[in-house]
Amino acid sequence: MSRATEGYGDLISRRQFVKLTSVSGAAALAGCSGGGSSGGNTLTGATNVGVPTNMHLNPMATQNYDWTAGNHIFERFAAYNFSTQEFELAGLENWSFEDETVTLTLRDDLKWDTGDDVTAGDVITQFRLMKKTEATLWDFADSVAEGENDKTVVITLSKPSNPEIIKHTLANGDLRIHGYQPVYNEFLDKDASAIQQFEWEEDVHGNGPFTLESKSDQAWTLSRNEHFYDADNVTFDTYELLSRQENSALQQGLMGGELDVVTSMFAPPKIVDNFPDHVEEVTLPANWGYGIIFNHDDEDFGNRKVRQAVAHVVNRQQVADNAGPRTKKPAPKVTGIAPADQESWLGGAYDSFESYGAEATQSEAAATLLREAGYSKSGGTWRDDDGNALGGSYLTPAGWTDWTTATNTVVDQLNSFGFDFEINSVPSSDFFGTYTDSNFKIGAFYWLPGGARSSYPYFPLRWQLNVPDVGGGHNFAEGEYTVPAMDGSGEMTLNPFEEIRSVATMQDETQASETITRVAWHNNQNLPVLGLVAKQDQSWLTSDEWDIAPADDSARGVKWPSHWLPKQGKLNASDR
């Protein structure tokens, strides 16, 4: 499944924890009883990505790559801070954007754990291999070359591109600087399959705050990288990622004091209420969440008014309350923009956007739309002219427990109104394929692709139109659409596909914002996908034996706090 699905329900795909031992010596740590089952000054956690001996550290070979360890071994180019809504440079000293050129300047003090400089040649090797694997960067790039010195990389674009989109591409998710030339140069003349099958396990070298010490069936063991540019901020010698697989074990580990830092873990209210007071939750936007996808080739749900009726019926607040009141929030407006970003992006147009009743079932509005679409209600059920009930199979993934609750809530609301749905719960292995094959009418699906990139509306708005995760299986046809005008006077016609694609080449922020608003309006009126609730990721820190950044420190806004805070000097063993 797509990595964009990070954070869904209790199928925990992004869990990692930290075990760290102070470098400052026993004297500096006197009086600390330490955390975790090991005692002393150990920060203990685990990874459920897989048994370490079965995993490797080549990010371009996604199968069996342990990003949990990799993200600590390899430094990132930049990070997006959800608290400040700004980018923070990491391995880069600077990035600049001019027409068809992007210039990346590496930090002078960015080094491999061998002590050798990370050079432009390393990054160029990595980017050229990423071209073989069809990485997103090459949607925009035409070529890469060394700049004025060996710390400068020049990316020549195929055409002028929007700087914000390039920034989000470079700062996205798990992209790290890893192209160590002594290892990767040999793949430059080979097919993509060679690099995608290479499992980097021997002579691994990184440039992040930690370096590989060893791995076993039980754990990855990482050690502090003395050549890391901010090594003085890293007050721990050893970092262990214990192999753990079950969510319940992770929750129990926090509850009982075995685990001190959990990067990402779903915990419902009844579990959180039982955590000790020193366990602190950090919530971060997942930019991902439960929604409804329609088959636009379906005779019923290919009709815009039927889709709008569905939107009016669903009480999104109730869905959030039932599926996860701590971690789910209803989308205030139904569009392709993440909830937290809607008002800032839509500005004065925000109030014009249809809410479809975020906290209520708007039965009268829904009934009017269905009558206009040619349906009538008989025996408590809405039917077409031939007497066929309006409804059918509602697809949902088996095993995603919070989604199961959300689906039950949605279908109950729709059937109470007069639709006639039955839930079709299918295994995850079949779920995506059913949508890809267009073998459905309507069902549960995420409405945002997830991650920091979804903070920039270009990505989720475009995603809703083509839903690449299922190969466009929702059959929303490319072309022009006519919807009511935003000012309420008449109609407007636009090609949302062409307009959102044009944002990728816009360098004027005002022009980009205006186009984003137009496409968002289209999605609000035409509903290629119906967004219902958005998820908050839960990250966990402990403060009984560890000094951590206070709740109002913006450093907590970078995913993930247990990754970002140690190298900022904001997660340290307490001396109290």
Side-chain angles (χ1 to χ4, degrees), residues 270-388:
K270 65 181 180 180
I271 297 295
V272 177
D273 290 345
N274 288 323
F275 283 154
D277 292 342
H278 63 263
V279 176
E280 298 188 21
E281 178 185 19
V282 181
T283 58
L284 295 162
N287 285 340
W288 192 90
Y290 182 96
I292 295 176
I293 189 170
F294 307 98
N295 187 339
H296 292 267
D297 279 351
D298 182 75
E299 185 175 355
D300 295 319
F301 298 101
N303 187 316
R304 179 191 304 171
K305 291 185 177 181
V306 175
R307 299 194 297 274
Q308 291 177 333
V310 170
H312 278 294
V313 170
V314 177
N315 180 334
R316 303 194 294 279
Q317 183 64 61
Q318 186 179 32
V319 176
D321 290 344
N322 290 352
R326 291 187 63 86
T327 58
K328 308 291 192 300
K329 293 184 178 180
K333 302 289 186 178
V334 174
T335 183
I337 300 178
D341 304 318
Q342 289 184 0
E343 288 195 61
S344 60
W345 273 100
L346 299 178
Y350 176 82
D351 290 336
S352 300
F353 277 65
E354 176 63 65
S355 73
Y356 295 97
E359 300 179 0
T361 291
Q362 298 183 328
S363 298
E364 291 187 10
T368 298
L369 285 163
L370 290 183
R371 292 190 187 99
E372 291 175 353
Y375 297 87
S376 59
K377 198 170 187 179
S378 173
T381 301
W382 289 93
R383 301 180 183 276
D384 62 19
D385 289 341
D386 295 325
N388 299 310

Side-chain angles (χ1 to χ4, degrees), residues 133-286:
T133 62
E134 300 181 346
T136 303
L137 175 67
W138 290 93
D139 289 347
F140 315 102
D142 184 65
S143 64
V144 292
E146 185 174 313
E148 60 184 20
N149 56 50
D150 67 0
K151 284 286 186 175
T152 307
V153 177
V154 178
I155 305 172
T156 301
L157 305 175
S158 54
K159 51 189 171 184
S161 297
N162 185 322
E164 292 301 304
I165 292 176
I166 303 296
K167 289 177 182 178
H168 273 288
T169 299
L170 291 169
N172 185 48
D174 303 325
L175 180 60
R176 297 297 194 270
I177 303 169
H178 65 267
Y180 185 59
Q181 290 184 85
V183 169
Y184 282 101
N185 273 350
E186 69 172 276
F187 295 97
L188 289 172
D189 295 327
K190 297 181 180 180
D191 293 339
S193 60
I195 189 61
Q196 290 172 323
Q197 294 172 10
F198 167 57
E199 297 186 349
W200 195 9
E201 298 183 85
E202 303 294 332
D203 199 28
V204 175
H205 291 290
N207 45 50
F210 296 92
T211 189
L212 177 63
E213 186 73 23
S214 64
K215 66 176 180 175
S216 67
D217 287 347
Q218 289 72 42
W220 291 91
T221 300
L222 312 180
S223 59
R224 174 178 173 272
N225 177 12
E226 63 181 12
H227 297 292
F228 181 60
Y229 60 84
D230 271 341
D232 289 345
N233 286 341
V234 181
T235 60
F236 310 100
D237 266 339
T238 304
Y239 181 137
E240 284 190 347
L241 299 169
L242 307 181
S243 181
R244 297 290 185 271
Q245 303 302 317
E246 297 297 328
N247 189 41
S248 59
L250 306 182
Q251 295 171 353
Q252 292 166 8
L254 270 181
M255 197 174 301
E258 178 190 26
L259 302 177
D260 300 302
V261 178
V262 178
T263 297
S264 176
M265 181 191 72
F266 171 74
K270 65 181 180 180
I271 297 295
V272 177
D273 290 345
N274 288 323
F275 283 154
D277 292 342
H278 63 263
V279 176
E280 298 188 21
E281 178 185 19
V282 181
T283 58
L284 295 162

Side-chain angles (χ1 to χ4, degrees), residues 477-491:
E478 185 158 350
E480 290 189 342
Y481 290 89
T482 299
V483 296
M486 291 182 63
D487 61 5
S489 60
E491 297 178 326

Side-chain angles (χ1 to χ4, degrees), residues 22-62:
S22 174
V23 303
S24 54
L29 297 173
C32 296
S33 62
S37 59
S38 301
N41 295 289
T42 301
L43 189 62
T44 304
T47 173
N48 75 340
V49 176
V51 176
T53 51
N54 296 332
M55 309 301 285
H56 65 82
L57 290 170
N58 171 20
M60 285 180 280
T62 55

